[in-house]
């Protein structure tokens, strides 16, 4: 069959999922080798849909006055005035220009002279708010994390439903099921041949799995709900289960159809017998059954290699938080509170960031998808009365946590390239299901959303996009410059596909060759390093 965009588009919506890309002869993806490209991904899903505009400020002065409540709330600081908005690098801010490209800017709730201040009144807003320290991590001039971050603003998810929006953020295409592989799986697949010693290419730490629709079995996600799940599932340490079964022999690696491949498989007697049994079943039923058996076969070979690697021992020797805690401003046992102490929680209550760090530092993985919340598991699906006020408090805390994670990574040398940091070799992709209706009209689902990219492969200190401030209620995004898959540069409103494509292009992956997203897509201009 001739490879064409039309055929691929039709297939993506109507063909059987398994083996879709292979059916059209698309090879296993290979990222272009270029300096500065990431080789890992940390995808952080902040659960529930976000009021991005309560942490970042992509609007003009008029837009802030139209859509954002005035600064209020005392210790429960909420809303902001145009005078609070600053660039994170503290350069002069132009709030008259709508953009769409500008430096990262936020409403400043902290005290620049004393960022730890939790009791002083902010004179910039006539003492209507007490200083809140959360969020300063992005502006701290000692680390300049903003130089490695870009916010993509106002993308249309094409949905305001939780499941569909989450799939849109993971794959670029909204729907009840995946119709394109997740970006996590595409990256895992691309890195597999370059880093064969990473036994777990695609790991999910909670939440819906980042599916590898149609990609080789090695890109399928492995669900690890916590570090405690490694021992019973990916280790042969349990004596009662593995007694007498640990001995392994390197056997020739055979494809599902029996074709010799390069390398070997470290197989136990049980592994060897099972792989032979699965190969014998080939051709006894339908093509669909064969495709399923081939996935099972390849997955089992991968599991044999993973267990042989003794992941558990590697992880036990890999520290999580080790660098940032040397700074007294960032202790490992960090706790955050809202209001006086109305609700308090520690770092671990927001997600298994420590385990994600161990996985990335150990060099055992290519992609990690982390389900994350705010303190004490607070998710952001805030439909309740004054939900947008509570949401804003917890969101600042959540972004403080994300920033501290990025700082730890920036201070950790890469294992594969000591000249780079772990953050340099990792693209951090922060996303949610969708945005939410702007604060003056409540906190319902809203299809216009944002995404935050930090680390390798991107040009930092940027905010690309904005909102149509002529609209009433909750605005959609404004047009931005996008480089379409054809290479043509256009100006249009961004969509979920464009965020996914921008993430993948950061790795040097090529559209049509290394990945395909149904419905057409462009890449945000000026974001990806060339």
């Amino acid at each position: 069959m001739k490879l064409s965009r039309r055929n691929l588009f039709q297939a993506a919506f109507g063909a059987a999922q398994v083996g879709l890309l292979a059916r059209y002869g698309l090879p296993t993806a290979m990222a272009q080798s270029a300096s500065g490209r990431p080789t890992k991904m940390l995808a952080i899903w902040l659960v529930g849909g976000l009021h991005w505009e309560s942490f970042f400020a992509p609007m003009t002065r008029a837009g802030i006055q139209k859509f954002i409540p005035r600064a209020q709330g005392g210790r429960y600081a909420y809303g902001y005035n145009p005078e609070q908005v600053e660039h994170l690098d503290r350069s002069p801010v132009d709030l008259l220009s709508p953009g769409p490209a500008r430096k990262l800017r936020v409403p400043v709730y902290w005290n620049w002279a004393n960022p730890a201040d939790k009791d002083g009144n902010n004179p910039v807003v006539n003492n209507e708010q007490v200083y809140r320290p959360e969020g300063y991590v992005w502006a701290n001039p000692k680390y300049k994390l903003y130089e490695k971050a870009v916010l993509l603003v106002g993308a249309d998810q094409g949905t305001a439903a939780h499941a569909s929006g989450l799939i849109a953020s993971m794959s670029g295409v909204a729907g009840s099921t995946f119709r394109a592989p997740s970006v996590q799986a595409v990256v895992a697949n691309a890195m597999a041949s370059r880093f064969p010693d990473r036994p777990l290419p695609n790991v999910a730490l909670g939440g819906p799995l980042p599916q590898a629709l149609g990609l080789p079995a090695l890109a399928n996600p492995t669900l690890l709900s916590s570090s405690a799940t490694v021992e019973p599932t990916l280790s042969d340490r349990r004596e009662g289960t593995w007694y007498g079964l640990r001995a392994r022999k390197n056997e020739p690696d055979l494809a599902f159809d029996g074709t010799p491949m390069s390398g070997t498989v470290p197989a136990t007697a049980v592994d060897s017998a099972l792989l032979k049994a699965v190969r014998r079943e080939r051709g006894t039923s339908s093509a669909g059954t064969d495709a399923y058996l081939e996935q099972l076969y390849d997955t089992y070979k991968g599991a044999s290699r993973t267990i042989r690697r003794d992941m558990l021992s590697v992880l036990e020797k890999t520290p999580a938080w080790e660098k940032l805690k040397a700074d007294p401003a960032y202790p490992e046992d960090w706790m955050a509170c809202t209001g006086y102490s109305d609700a308090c929680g520690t770092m671990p209550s927001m997600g298994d960031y420590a385990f994600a760090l161990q996985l990335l530092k150990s060099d055992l993985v290519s992609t990690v998808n982390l389900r994350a919340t705010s303190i004490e598991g607070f998710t952001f699906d805030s439909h309740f009365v004054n939900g947008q006020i509570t949401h804003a408090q917890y969101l600042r805390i959540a972004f403080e946590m994300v920033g501290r994670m990025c700082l730890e990574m920036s201070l950790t040398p890469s294992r594969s390239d000591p000249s780079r940091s772990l953050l340099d070799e990792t693209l951090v992709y922060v996303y949610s299901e969708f945005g939410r209706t702007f604060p003056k009209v409540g906190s319902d689902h809203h299809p216009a959303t944002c995404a935050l990219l930090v680390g390798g492969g991107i040009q930092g200190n940027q905010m690309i996009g904005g909102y149509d401030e002529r609209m009433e209620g909750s605005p959609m995004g404004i047009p931005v410059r996008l480089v379409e898959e054809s290479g043509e540069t256009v100006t249009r409103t961004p969509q979920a596909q464009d965020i996914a494509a921008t993430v993948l292009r950061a790795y040097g992956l090529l559209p049509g060759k290394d990945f395909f997203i149904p419905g057409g897509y462009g890449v945000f201009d000026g974001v990806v390093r060339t």
Side-chain angles (χ1 to χ4, degrees):
M1 182 181 294
K2 182 180 178 181
L3 178 62
S4 70
R5 176 160 190 88
R6 181 177 181 83
N7 287 335
L8 282 168
F9 183 88
Q10 291 172 339
F13 284 87
Q17 294 181 358
V18 177
L20 174 62
L21 298 182
R23 170 181 171 184
Y24 290 96
L26 293 181
T28 298
M30 283 289 291
Q32 293 174 306
S33 59
S35 61
R37 299 288 189 196
T39 67
K40 296 176 182 176
M41 173 187 287
L42 171 61
I44 301 176
W45 168 39
L46 292 177
V47 182
L50 302 186
H51 279 290
W52 294 90
E53 71 287 344
S54 70
F55 188 82
F56 297 99
M59 289 170 285
T60 65
R61 172 179 291 272
I64 293 169
Q65 293 170 333
K66 181 176 181 179
F67 297 108
I68 304 298
R70 66 170 181 81
Q72 58 189 281
R75 288 183 180 271
Y76 224 72
Y78 169 65
Y80 53 91
N81 299 341
E83 292 73 26
Q84 276 177 275
V85 175
E86 297 188 48
H87 286 152
L88 289 173
D89 67 4
R90 306 210 72 185
S91 61
V93 174
D94 178 8
L95 287 181
L96 299 180
S97 172
R102 66 200 76 82
K103 291 183 176 181
L104 271 174
R105 65 192 190 202
V106 300
V108 173
Y109 292 92
W110 56 80
N111 181 353
W112 283 108
N114 177 18
D117 187 356
K118 298 180 182 180
D119 297 306
N121 294 315
N122 186 354
V124 176
V125 293
N126 298 317
N127 300 323
E128 293 291 330
Q129 292 177 342
V130 175
Y131 287 123
R132 308 307 303 172
E134 292 82 21
Y136 175 74
V137 66
W138 294 92
N140 189 335
K142 179 178 179 180
Y143 300 107
K144 298 182 180 180
L145 185 57
Y146 56 83
E147 291 185 344
K148 300 179 179 181
V150 61
L151 185 73
L152 308 180
V153 183
D156 185 353
Q157 290 287 79
T159 181
H162 281 287
S164 183
L166 184 54
I167 289 175
S169 289
M170 295 172 98
S171 70
V173 186
S176 58
T177 59
F178 281 87
R179 289 178 284 180
S182 67
V183 293
Q184 295 93 326
V186 173
V187 171
N189 183 49
M191 297 301 142
S193 57
R194 291 181 56 191
F195 300 95
D197 289 337
R198 294 179 183 171
L200 291 178
N202 183 5
V203 174
L205 303 184
L209 297 178
Q211 296 293 338
L213 176 68
L215 294 176
L218 58 85
N220 286 331
T222 299
L223 177 62
L224 297 174
S225 57
S226 69
S227 55
T229 59
V230 175
E231 193 261 351
T233 58
L234 297 173
S235 165
D236 61 4
R237 186 173 292 186
R238 288 192 174 184
E239 184 68 13
T241 304
W242 285 90
Y243 180 76
L245 298 175
R246 293 188 180 91
R248 295 180 181 274
K249 180 174 66 174
N250 287 326
E251 297 191 351
D253 189 1
L254 301 178
F256 178 57
D257 63 2
T259 303
M261 303 176 68
S262 61
T264 59
V265 177
T268 65
V270 174
D271 295 338
S272 180
L274 187 136
L275 292 172
K276 289 177 183 177
V278 175
R279 285 200 303 269
R280 284 197 299 269
E281 294 299 313
R282 179 175 177 269
T284 61
S285 185
S286 64
T289 299
D290 277 356
Y292 175 79
L293 289 173
E294 185 172 7
Q295 288 272 317
L296 178 65
Y297 181 81
D298 290 341
T299 299
Y300 202 89
K301 284 198 296 182
S304 297
R305 294 188 176 101
T306 298
I307 293 173
R308 170 70 173 273
R309 178 73 183 273
D310 192 9
M311 253 185 59
L312 192 58
S313 293
V314 175
L315 286 172
E316 288 173 344
K317 297 175 183 177
T318 304
W321 298 95
E322 57 173 333
K323 304 295 184 180
L324 186 60
K325 64 184 181 181
D327 186 333
Y330 298 103
E332 185 176 4
D333 58 350
W334 172 58
M335 174 178 284
C337 298
T338 63
Y340 285 89
S341 288
D342 300 316
C344 297
T346 59
M347 182 186 302
S349 71
M350 292 184 266
D352 209 343
Y353 284 88
F355 186 35
L357 273 173
Q358 283 184 295
L359 288 167
L360 291 164
K361 289 183 178 186
S362 69
D363 223 19
L364 294 169
V365 302
S366 287
T367 69
V368 175
N369 192 68
L370 173 64
R371 180 189 185 276
T373 63
S374 191
I375 50 173
E376 297 305 300
F378 178 92
T379 64
F380 297 99
D381 194 17
S382 45
H383 291 278
F384 48 87
V385 175
N386 291 328
Q388 66 272 34
I389 299 176
T390 304
H391 186 118
Q393 318 306 310
Y394 284 97
L395 187 62
R396 287 198 295 271
I397 294 170
F399 272 119
E400 174 76 15
M401 181 69 243
V402 172
R404 292 186 182 211
M405 178 75 163
C406 291
L407 278 193
E408 175 68 29
M409 295 169 66
S410 73
L411 298 171
T412 302
S414 161
R415 282 199 175 193
S416 57
D417 182 358
S419 68
R420 306 173 75 196
S421 72
L422 179 61
L423 185 61
D424 291 332
E425 71 174 1
T426 305
L427 180 62
V428 180
Y429 169 39
V430 184
Y431 66 96
S432 193
E433 293 95 302
F434 36 65
R436 304 194 78 83
T437 52
F438 275 41
K440 283 189 175 180
V441 291
S443 189
D444 206 350
H445 300 185
H446 185 47
T449 194
C450 300
L452 181 65
L453 306 181
V454 191
I458 58 102
Q459 305 275 6
N461 196 14
Q462 292 195 88
M463 182 180 289
I464 308 293
Y467 295 102
D468 186 348
E469 298 176 3
R470 301 167 300 176
M471 298 179 68
E472 299 301 324
S474 294
M476 297 297 289
I478 61 173
V480 300
R481 282 172 56 88
L482 295 155
V483 181
E484 301 282 22
E485 54 186 313
S486 64
E488 177 187 7
T489 299
V490 301
T491 300
R492 62 169 173 78
T493 303
Q495 300 174 318
Q497 294 99 315
D498 306 321
I499 290 178
T502 302
V503 168
L504 295 175
R505 283 296 291 134
Y507 292 85
L509 299 177
L510 299 175
K513 177 184 177 183
D514 298 325
F515 67 90
F516 169 74
I517 302 172
Y521 46 89
V523 174
F524 281 77
D525 191 31
V527 172
V528 176
R529 289 180 189 162
T530 57

